[in-house]
Amino acid sequence: MSEREVKGKIGVKELSPIDVYKLLPRTNCKECGEENCMAFATKVVNREVPIEKCPPILKKEFEKAYKQLKEMLKPAIKEVVVGTGERAVKIGGKLVMYRHELTYFNPTAIAIDITDEMPEEEILSRIKRVEEFRYEYIGQILKLDMIAVRSTSNDPDKFKATVRKVAENTNLPMILCSLNPTVLEAGLMAAPKARPLLYAATKDNWREMAELALMYGCPLTVFAPNNLKLLKSLAKTLLEYGVEDLILDPGTFAGEGLADTLNNFTMIRRLACKQGDELLGFPLMGVPMTVWLESAGIAPEIVKWREAYLAAMLIVRFADILIMHSLDGWALLPNVVLRANIYTDPRKPVAVEPGLKVFGTPDENSPVMFTTNFALTYYTVASDIESAKVNAYLLVVDTEGIAVDSAVAGRKLTAEKVAEAIKASGIENKVKHRKLIIPGKAARLSGEIEELSGWQVLVGPRDSSEIPKFLQEKWNP
Amino acid sequence: MAEKREKDESVLGLKLNSRLLELLAKLQEIELEDFEMEVGDLEVWLQPGAVAAPVIAPPKVAPPVKVKPTQIIEVEFIPPVETYPGRVVEVKLGATKSEGGTRGKTVVIGGETTPAFYTFERPTPHQPVISLDVFDMEVPLAKAVKMHVKDVLGDPAAWAKLAVEKFGADMITIHLISIDPLVKDASPKEAVKTVEAVAQAVDVPLIIGGCGDPVKDADVFQEICETFAGERFLISSITRDMDVERCAKFIKKNGHVALSFTPMDLNLARELNRRLYDFLPKEDIVMDLTTAALGYGLDYAFTNMERARLAALMGDPELAHPMSSGTTNAWAAREAWLKMAPEWEPRELRGPLWEVVTALTLLLAGVDLFMMMHPAAVKTVKDVIAQLMGGKSGNADRLVEWVTAKV
C-alpha cells in the first residue's frame, strides 16, 4: 500500500524480523522477557522494544552485531535532542512517511516565541503561560514544549540578558533565533550548557553558525527559504564541517507560497523516507508565526486564526517542530489535540475494555447507562459521572472504538449489541429495575433496544455533561 | 449539542463572531492587493542569489580546521517525482439544461493522478468543492453556527439561497431529517416538495441527504430520483444495509450519482463499491469513508482516507473514487461548542476553527467534496484551496524578516 511497492524496490527502512534475528545471539535466553529471539526480533522491528532490551547483545563479544543492528534500525529522520535534563525535547526520529506504515514517533514540538525587546513582565507572563498550558485529553496531558527567543534588537547584550532571564525562569528547552552570529553567541554565553537549538545557518552565515554549534554542542537549524538545492547543499556542507544534529527549515509561507511550503516539506520527507537521502534525513521546522509578517492593518484574531490553521496543516504534513506566536487557548487547543491524534499509534485502536463499570457505591436502585468503548467517549462520560459524584453503573458497549454517532451511523452500535452487552454484564442480578439510560445520540435505537432486551429505555442527554441534571430530573427507578 | 446552551448567548461572543466574518471578507481584499504587488517581487525571487544578506560579524573564534569546507558544497536537488499506475475517476455532479437538468452550474471532482496537493508532481485536476448543509426542519445546532442561519431555520429554500449567495457554497446538501420514521415520518412526496423548493431557490448541484433509515431512505430517494431525472444529484448515502441493487438501479435509470458510505474500513468500502459496479458505471460513484471529528477519531479518518487515495493511485480500482467528507461532524466534538474555562474562550472562534482543522486535515488526505456548516470555516477552506491550486510563490526575501519582526 505504500509508494515503495510501486517502484518495486525495498525502502530504506523495510526490515523483516529475520534481518534482526540473524544478528541476535540466538540463545533464546529469555532475558528480554520474550519466549525466544525470534519473538524479540519481531518486537524490535515493530519498534515495540529497543534493541538494548537484549542484555547479551550489549556484551563486548557482540559489539559488531550491535553496531550493525543500530545502523539497520536507524530512523529515516534523525532524532535530535534539544535542551537537557527532564524537559529535553526529542525531535524527529521518524521511521516512515505515512503514519499507516508504522507510527509517527516524537510528536511535533511546539515552541512559543518571546523577543529581547519585550518588557520584562511580558516575557515572564508568556513563560508562565507556556509552562501552565495544559489540557487533559484521553488520560494524557497536552502541553507546549519550548520557548523560542528571538533577537529583534540585533543587540548582543540585550539578547544575552533575555536568554539569561528565560533560563532563570524556566527549564523548557530554548530555540535561540538570530541570523547574526555575534548576537547568537552572546545568547549562548548566557546559557552555555542548555543545549538550545540554534536558528539559523543561512548561505551567508553558515561557517560562523557551524562554529557556534560545534563549540557549544548545539543542534543547528538550516534555513534556505524556498530553495531546496541550497538547503541540501548547506546540509551537506555543515555535515562535512562536523555539525551532526541539523534541523531543516525550507521556509513557511502563509497565503502566497503556501503551496511551495507544502511541496517543499513533502519532497524533503519523501526523499528522506523513500529514497534514503541522508542529507535531507533531518527533522523539519515549520514557522507558522510568519503570518505575523503580513499582519499590518489586520485584526489580531484573524492573524491568530491563520497561524492556527497553518500550524494544523504543517502538523499533518510532516513538521517536527513549530514556532508560534499566538498563546490564545482557542487557537492552540485544536493544534495540540490534532498533534495527539496524528501521533497516536494507528496499530492500536483508541479504545477501552468493554464491560460494566461501577461509579461510587451503586445499589439495586441505581441508574444504569451505556456508552461506547471509544476511549474519548468513555473518559468523557466517566469524568462527567465522577465529577457529579453519582452512584451508577455504566455499561461500555464494544463499538470497535468508535464514538456514539459514528457508531450508530456505521452500525457498529446496534440494538443487538446493546442487548448482548446487558446479558453478558450480569447487571440484571445487580439491580431490580429494568431501566436503561441510553445516549441521546443513540435515540433512534430506543425501540429496538426495548424489544430485544426487554428493558425500558430512557433517552439520555446528547452530551454527557448533562447526565447529573438528567438523573436529578428523570431518574425514578 | 444542548439546546439549553443556546440561551446563554453572550453579546460579546455574538459580535465577535459576526465580526470574524466581516474581517475575513476584508482580508480577501488585502490579499488581492498583495497579489498585485507580488508580480514585481516574483522576478526578484527567481534569482536565487538575491536573498538579502544579513549583517555578519566576523567570528570571534576560528580554530584551525583540517578538512572543514570553506565554501558551500553544491549538491544536486532532484524533485522526487513518481508516476502511478492508478487514477481517481472523474465524477460530474449536477446537470445543466443542455445536459438534461436544470442546474446553472455543475462541478467535476476527482481525476487525481498524484497524492493530495503533491503539486510538485502534477497539478490537481479539479479543485475540491464545498457543499453547505441545509436541514428541512429545526435541529440542534451549535450556537456559533445557529447565529448565522437563525433567520432561515425551518425554511430550506431560504437557507440554501443564503448559503450560496452569502457563504459561497459550491453545492447544497439538503438533509431530509423529517422523513425519519422516528422523527416526523414525512412522506416521499413531502420530501420531493422540499427538494423542489431548494432546486428552485438555487442553481448549484444538490446533494440529497437521507435520515439514516435504510428502508425509508430508499423509498424517498427513489421518489426524488424519478421526479428529478437527469439532474445528477448526489444521493447521500447508499449504505450496505440498504437494498443496494434497487437503489443503484433507480440512480442509474434517472441519471444521478451514488454516494457510497461505509464506516472507516477500506474492505467494507471496496465491498460496497463492488456491489454498485453491477449496476452503475464508476463515473457515477463518490465514496464517503466516514469523518470523525478532531479529537474524536480524526486520526482514524485521516489515515483511512490517505490509505484509500494512495491505494487508488497504486492501481486499486475499487477505491479510485472521489472522496466526500461529512466535515460537519467536527461539531460533534464538545470542544467545538461547549463553554469552557476562560483560557479556551471564545468558543465562537474555537468552534469554527475546529471545523477548519478537521477539514484541512482531510483536504491533505485527498477529500474532494466537503460538507460543511460554519461560514467562516467555509471561507477559510476555500481560501486555502485557492492558494494550493494556483498560489503564487512566496517571497523569500521577506520571509527572513520573521526572526526580527516586531509583533
Side-chain angles (χ1 to χ4, degrees):
Chain A
M1 187 106 8
S2 67
E3 288 173 62
R4 62 173 70 110
E5 285 168 13
V6 185
K7 294 186 296 180
K9 76 174 188 196
I10 288 189
V12 272
K13 299 299 162 203
E14 193 91 322
L15 269 186
S16 91
I18 288 285
D19 300 327
V20 171
Y21 177 75
K22 280 192 208 149
L23 291 166
L24 290 175
R26 284 180 283 172
T27 53
N28 297 331
C29 68
K30 300 187 191 176
E31 280 184 64
C32 60
E34 299 302 321
E35 268 310 294
N36 51 54
C37 293
M38 193 62 202
F40 179 71
T42 308
K43 286 209 164 173
V44 168
V45 167
N46 287 330
R47 312 285 162 163
E48 288 165 41
V49 294
I51 189 72
E52 288 77 13
K53 272 256 179 186
C54 165
I57 197 86
L58 299 174
K59 288 184 190 153
K60 189 98 186 121
E61 54 183 306
F62 290 110
E63 202 182 324
K64 203 177 145 209
Y66 175 64
K67 273 194 184 147
Q68 243 176 303
L69 280 165
K70 275 307 233 194
E71 184 61 28
M72 262 164 72
L73 293 162
K74 205 167 76 178
I77 308 303
K78 187 167 189 196
E79 182 174 276
V80 173
V81 178
V82 181
T84 56
E86 265 178 35
R87 304 291 280 278
V89 174
K90 285 182 189 167
I91 293 158
K94 305 289 194 285
L95 294 147
V96 294
M97 178 158 184
Y98 298 112
R99 74 185 275 283
H100 63 80
E101 294 175 288
L102 190 63
T103 302
Y104 284 168
F105 296 101
N106 297 335
T108 313
I110 298 178
I112 300 293
D113 83 317
I114 64 152
T115 75
D116 62 0
E117 289 182 296
M118 277 178 182
E120 181 172 337
E121 56 280 22
E122 192 181 351
I123 291 174
L124 295 178
S125 91
R126 282 177 76 82
I127 291 172
K128 191 160 179 273
R129 277 154 74 199
V130 174
E131 287 268 16
E132 287 175 357
F133 182 100
R134 53 184 280 139
Y135 187 73
E136 282 196 52
Y137 171 77
I138 327 186
Q140 305 171 50
I141 306 290
L142 308 183
K143 292 178 182 169
L144 301 172
D145 310 282
M146 310 173 87
I147 302 279
V149 191
R150 298 189 294 125
S151 176
T152 54
S153 67
N154 206 26
D155 175 341
D157 293 336
K158 272 198 173 150
F159 192 59
K160 190 173 182 177
T162 306
V163 173
R164 181 168 295 133
K165 181 119 308 206
V166 175
E168 281 165 3
N169 285 283
T170 177
N171 51 9
L172 282 170
M174 286 183 281
I175 308 174
L176 304 187
C177 308
S178 172
L179 301 184
N180 180 341
T182 311
V183 170
L184 210 60
E185 179 162 29
L188 272 166
M189 287 191 293
K193 301 253 186 290
R195 194 175 158 82
L197 171 60
L198 305 183
Y199 189 99
T202 65
K203 70 177 172 54
D204 302 306
N205 68 10
W206 62 270
R207 280 182 75 175
E208 293 88 342
M209 290 296 181
E211 287 298 336
L212 288 177
L214 291 176
M215 201 182 330
Y216 291 89
C218 295
L220 175 61
T221 313
V222 186
F223 181 38
N226 226 359
N227 188 340
L228 296 187
K229 184 178 188 306
L230 175 61
L231 189 74
K232 194 175 164 180
S233 300
L234 279 172
K236 167 85 178 164
T237 312
L238 291 164
L239 285 171
E240 294 281 325
Y241 208 89
V243 186
E244 290 173 358
D245 288 338
L246 302 177
I247 304 277
L248 307 177
D249 178 4
T252 298
F253 296 94
E256 296 292 317
L258 178 60
D260 287 337
T261 292
L262 286 194
N263 278 330
N264 290 339
F265 272 61
T266 305
M267 283 191 278
I268 292 173
R269 194 46 54 95
R270 176 183 270 180
L271 281 164
C273 289
K274 304 291 183 190
Q275 296 183 20
D277 188 332
E278 293 195 359
L279 296 178
L280 296 174
F282 292 99
L284 285 166
M285 177 186 283
V287 187
M289 76 155 290
T290 53
V291 296
W292 293 90
L293 284 172
E294 310 290 339
S295 64
I298 301 175
E301 289 98 326
I302 297 300
V303 188
K304 290 171 186 173
W305 173 275
R306 284 179 138 200
E307 186 179 16
Y309 74 71
L310 183 58
M313 296 179 86
L314 292 172
I315 288 171
V316 175
R317 270 288 166 88
F318 314 123
D320 298 286
I321 181 168
L322 294 177
I323 300 180
M324 298 184 72
H325 177 67
S326 170
L327 250 171
D328 295 49
W330 64 266
L332 289 170
L333 187 60
N335 279 307
V336 293
V337 171
L338 176 66
R339 174 179 66 171
N341 280 176
I342 295 294
Y343 281 80
T344 52
D345 187 341
R347 297 170 292 177
K348 294 178 194 138
V350 198
V352 295
E353 274 300 302
L356 190 67
K357 312 279 168 169
V358 177
F359 292 84
T361 49
D363 59 24
E364 57 187 19
N365 291 318
S366 295
V368 179
M369 302 173 253
F370 88 77
T371 189
T372 76
N373 77 323
F374 174 41
L376 184 69
T377 309
Y378 171 75
Y379 281 112
T380 307
V381 174
S383 98
D384 285 334
I385 296 175
E386 274 164 7
S387 61
K389 298 196 169 45
V390 294
N391 300 314
Y393 290 105
L394 179 66
L395 194 55
V396 181
V397 179
D398 185 0
T399 58
E400 296 168 41
I402 297 186
V404 179
D405 32 6
S406 311
V408 171
R411 321 282 186 247
K412 297 275 185 196
L413 177 62
T414 59
E416 286 84 356
K417 280 205 178 170
V418 176
E420 279 166 29
I422 290 174
K423 276 252 134 42
S425 70
I427 184 70
E428 290 178 323
N429 302 324
K430 292 193 163 79
V431 293
K432 61 177 190 191
H433 64 81
R434 291 290 179 264
K435 285 183 183 173
L436 178 68
I437 300 169
I438 73 168
K441 285 173 177 168
R444 53 179 302 108
L445 303 177
S446 45
E448 277 180 88
I449 292 174
E450 291 198 336
E451 220 168 278
L452 286 169
S453 67
W455 281 51
Q456 185 195 337
V457 166
L458 300 178
V459 177
R462 293 177 63 83
D463 190 86
S464 62
S465 59
E466 295 184 31
I467 287 176
K469 198 160 161 264
F470 178 87
L471 292 177
Q472 217 169 29
E473 290 171 3
K474 306 264 174 69
W475 183 250
N476 177 23
Chain B
M1 285 158 255
E3 278 290 304
K4 279 177 258 68
R5 297 182 191 279
E6 310 291 345
K7 289 189 201 124
D8 64 33
E9 263 185 11
S10 72
V11 180
L12 175 82
L14 234 159
K15 266 191 186 159
L16 189 56
N17 199 257
S18 17
R19 227 180 97 222
L20 178 66
L21 260 186
E22 276 168 40
L23 290 167
L24 282 165
K26 260 192 235 147
L27 200 60
Q28 197 163 37
E29 293 168 21
I30 291 163
E31 282 174 359
L32 283 174
E33 285 169 22
D34 275 353
F35 165 70
E36 283 179 351
M37 286 159 47
E38 216 69 64
V39 179
D41 293 336
L42 198 63
E43 287 170 53
V44 179
W45 179 82
L46 284 172
Q47 304 161 12
V51 179
V55 186
I56 297 168
K60 278 187 183 161
V61 188
V65 289
K66 276 181 251 162
V67 286
K68 284 180 179 173
T70 54
Q71 52 187 347
I72 296 174
I73 304 165
E74 295 228 357
V75 291
E76 282 251 64
F77 177 83
I78 302 160
V81 174
E82 295 185 4
T83 52
Y84 306 83
R87 174 176 187 264
V88 178
V89 298
E90 281 181 344
V91 176
K92 186 172 180 183
L93 300 170
T96 60
K97 228 172 223 156
S98 64
E99 295 159 336
T102 62
R103 304 294 83 201
K105 308 178 178 82
T106 61
V107 300
V108 177
I109 54 175
E112 289 90 346
T113 54
T114 203
F117 296 105
Y118 282 29
T119 48
F120 63 90
E121 208 156 49
R122 268 167 292 282
T124 308
H126 302 290
Q127 72 173 40
V129 296
I130 300 177
S131 181
L132 261 73
D133 290 325
V134 166
F135 296 89
D136 69 341
M137 56 177 278
E138 290 219 25
V139 290
L141 291 175
K143 178 185 144 196
V145 173
K146 197 171 185 175
M147 61 201 278
H148 294 288
V149 295
K150 59 181 186 305
D151 297 338
V152 293
L153 291 176
D155 183 349
W159 191 336
K161 223 170 148 55
L162 177 75
V164 171
E165 289 171 9
K166 205 162 157 215
F167 305 151
D170 301 307
M171 297 179 71
I172 291 293
T173 307
I174 169 75
H175 293 279
L176 300 164
I177 306 295
S178 69
I179 64 172
D180 193 327
L182 301 172
V183 181
K184 284 189 183 167
D185 204 16
S187 68
K189 287 267 182 276
E190 286 172 84
V192 164
K193 257 191 223 157
T194 306
V195 174
E196 179 70 55
V198 173
Q200 297 266 338
V202 295
D203 72 348
V204 297
L206 300 187
I207 301 175
I208 308 299
C211 67
D213 180 298
V215 177
K216 184 65 181 284
D217 276 357
D219 290 346
V220 171
F221 288 159
Q222 175 157 14
E223 191 81 20
I224 289 170
C225 282
E226 285 167 0
T227 313
F228 301 93
E231 290 279 14
R232 281 193 80 72
F233 288 163
L234 181 59
I235 306 302
S236 169
S237 329
I238 306 306
T239 51
R240 291 178 308 136
D241 55 1
M242 291 172 83
D243 183 341
V244 173
E245 176 173 349
R246 173 189 167 203
C247 293
K249 280 181 171 164
F250 64 64
I251 287 171
K252 169 75 182 131
K253 183 165 172 239
N254 298 294
H256 298 287
V257 180
L259 185 55
S260 162
F261 178 91
T262 46
M264 303 234 212
D265 180 327
L266 294 188
N267 286 325
L268 295 181
R270 286 192 186 95
E271 180 202 311
L272 180 56
N273 289 345
R274 270 201 300 277
R275 282 165 70 189
L276 289 167
Y277 295 157
D278 289 340
F279 313 98
L280 279 173
K282 292 222 160 94
E283 292 69 27
D284 291 354
I285 301 169
V286 175
M287 67 183 182
D288 185 332
L289 305 171
T290 306
T291 296
L294 170 61
Y296 292 68
L298 176 65
D299 43 331
Y300 203 3
F302 166 74
T303 284
N304 213 34
M305 291 179 191
E306 188 173 63
R307 287 180 62 192
R309 179 51 49 88
L310 292 174
L313 296 171
M314 239 54 88
D316 184 335
E318 291 166 358
L319 292 172
H321 296 277
M323 292 190 284
S324 165
S325 154
T327 317
T328 299
N329 287 350
W331 293 93
R334 58 159 64 179
E335 288 89 342
W337 55 267
L338 192 68
K339 197 169 180 68
M340 294 170 67
E343 67 263 34
W344 313 110
E345 292 295 301
R347 60 176 155 163
E348 287 75 11
L349 289 168
R350 193 196 330 123
L353 186 59
W354 214 263
E355 189 178 352
V356 165
V357 170
T358 303
L360 293 180
T361 299
L362 300 179
L363 180 75
L364 297 178
V367 164
D368 302 89
L369 168 58
F370 293 90
M371 301 190 194
M372 296 182 66
M373 197 115 103
H374 193 285
V378 170
K379 168 149 181 30
T380 300
V381 174
K382 285 184 91 105
D383 287 351
V384 169
I385 289 171
Q387 285 297 347
L388 295 182
M389 291 296 294
K392 295 277 177 291
S393 275
N395 182 342
D397 289 359
R398 196 57 220 289
L399 196 70
V400 298
E401 291 167 21
W402 85 264
V403 181
T404 50
K406 293 173 189 180
V407 293

